[in-house]
Amino acid sequence: MFLSKKTKGFFVEMTENSVLLARTSSVSAPMEIEELRECPIGEQSAVTETLKQLQPRRPPSGYLHAVVGVYPPRRLIRRHTLELKRMREQGYMADVFAQQLRIEQDRYTVAMINAGDGADYDLTKSSQKDVIFCGAPNDDINATQEKLLDAGIYPERLELGSVATLGALVDCLAFEKSKSPTLVLDVGNDTTHSFILSGNGVEASRPIPQGLDAMVPVVQKELGLKDEESARKLFRSNSFDFTGMGPLLIKRLLKELQSSIGFYEVQTGQSVGQVICIQLSPKLAWLEGALAASLGIATLKFDPLPWLRSRRVVVPDALSKTAGEFRWFGLLSLMIHYTPQDAAIPIEKK
């Protein structure tokens, strides 16, 4: 179906904590952001009302048609180096799925992209050895789609929010001519996906079986709470400052991260200089600082607005403060269609 330039664009990011929504002047760049909204996850009435405000005149289907970023709990995002000489061997890719990725291939929907530029991997040429496997179990995808439809949202395009965010961060690092490799942590309830990025792409990845839920028993023990549920509610709230307890809560995760960083630095001779956490609730903002302090590196700080302008996405003054907060970055990443031939124009460092 042909979409005119006057067609509004709608973007939705559904995280483990909230639903972020945006309306833009067009479905693709150049565009201007017209609205940014947020709803608590699980509050259907709030989502329904926000959808009405974003699009008062709904299509006959009754659904908001949008580009959607999601975070399935068992998502797969793994960098892997292929053995190009074996690509034509029967069973080689099946072995990669079973032995390296440790998943059942027929139960997953998986895409392969180049680790450097994010372009779709061309299996017929097999000229690039460094790839990223991106996907999720079919059951998780179906459940996510049902959840979206129940909320009144029809996904015109469904993306892994982590992948969109990583691509945008790589583009930002290149845009700002950053020379320092960056540790990016996608901290979920059960798993932490760890990545090391540079302006050249995703250089390392590792899933760590330590997430937020693993910190709850420590909270219970240290504060003498009667059960884990009480500890979980306190941990997720703003009623207690966990900054001082941070080093103890992240102790197990920190050990795994130090191992990954050490291996990367020995292999490349480069030092990881900064860290940033994606998809992290504002109530847990202390976690990023605790990780940075324990690792002895800085937290990544940048203004996304100049980068967005280079991508022909205009943020009006009334929304510039909101859009400048990093928790909106994943949603903004969905608006960027990146191709190597259309890279963002770098800015000169002064």
Side-chain angles (χ1 to χ4, degrees), residues 164-334:
T165 303
L166 290 174
L169 282 172
V170 168
D171 200 33
C172 277
L173 292 172
F175 175 75
E176 296 194 342
K177 293 187 174 181
S178 173
K179 302 296 184 182
S180 180
T182 300
L183 176 67
V184 179
L185 301 177
D186 182 1
V187 185
N189 291 328
D190 301 316
T191 304
T192 296
H193 295 272
S194 168
F195 307 93
I196 297 177
L197 309 184
S198 73
N200 295 321
V202 178
E203 300 195 357
S205 74
R206 182 187 174 194
I208 299 172
Q210 297 288 328
L212 297 172
D213 286 349
M215 302 179 191
V216 173
V218 182
V219 172
Q220 180 189 0
K221 179 181 177 181
E222 292 300 313
L223 298 182
L225 300 174
K226 62 179 181 179
D227 54 48
E228 283 197 9
E229 186 57 32
S230 299
R232 181 174 289 103
K233 289 180 179 179
L234 182 62
F235 181 63
R236 300 276 187 170
S237 72
N238 271 333
S239 59
F240 188 88
D241 185 0
F242 285 97
T243 304
M245 200 184 297
L248 189 60
L249 294 175
I250 65 172
K251 185 176 181 181
R252 293 172 63 189
L253 176 59
L254 184 66
K255 183 178 180 180
E256 299 290 344
L257 292 175
Q258 288 171 329
S259 175
S260 297
I261 292 172
F263 181 78
Y264 170 81
E265 292 181 341
V266 169
Q267 291 291 106
T268 65
Q270 300 185 77
S271 297
V272 173
Q274 50 200 5
V275 62
I276 194 164
C277 294
I278 65 177
Q279 208 219 158
L280 195 62
S281 166
K283 296 177 181 179
L284 298 171
W286 58 267
L287 182 59
E288 184 177 88
L291 286 164
S294 296
L295 290 169
I297 58 180
T299 57
L300 175 62
K301 303 293 183 184
F302 67 96
D303 179 3
L305 301 188
W307 168 73
L308 285 169
R309 285 196 297 271
S310 78
R311 284 304 193 171
R312 301 182 299 166
V313 176
V314 177
V315 181
D317 291 342
L319 295 175
S320 61
K321 183 178 179 180
T322 300
E325 296 176 13
F326 184 73
R327 66 193 186 92
W328 292 88
F329 189 78
L331 179 68
L332 300 175
S333 300
L334 297 171

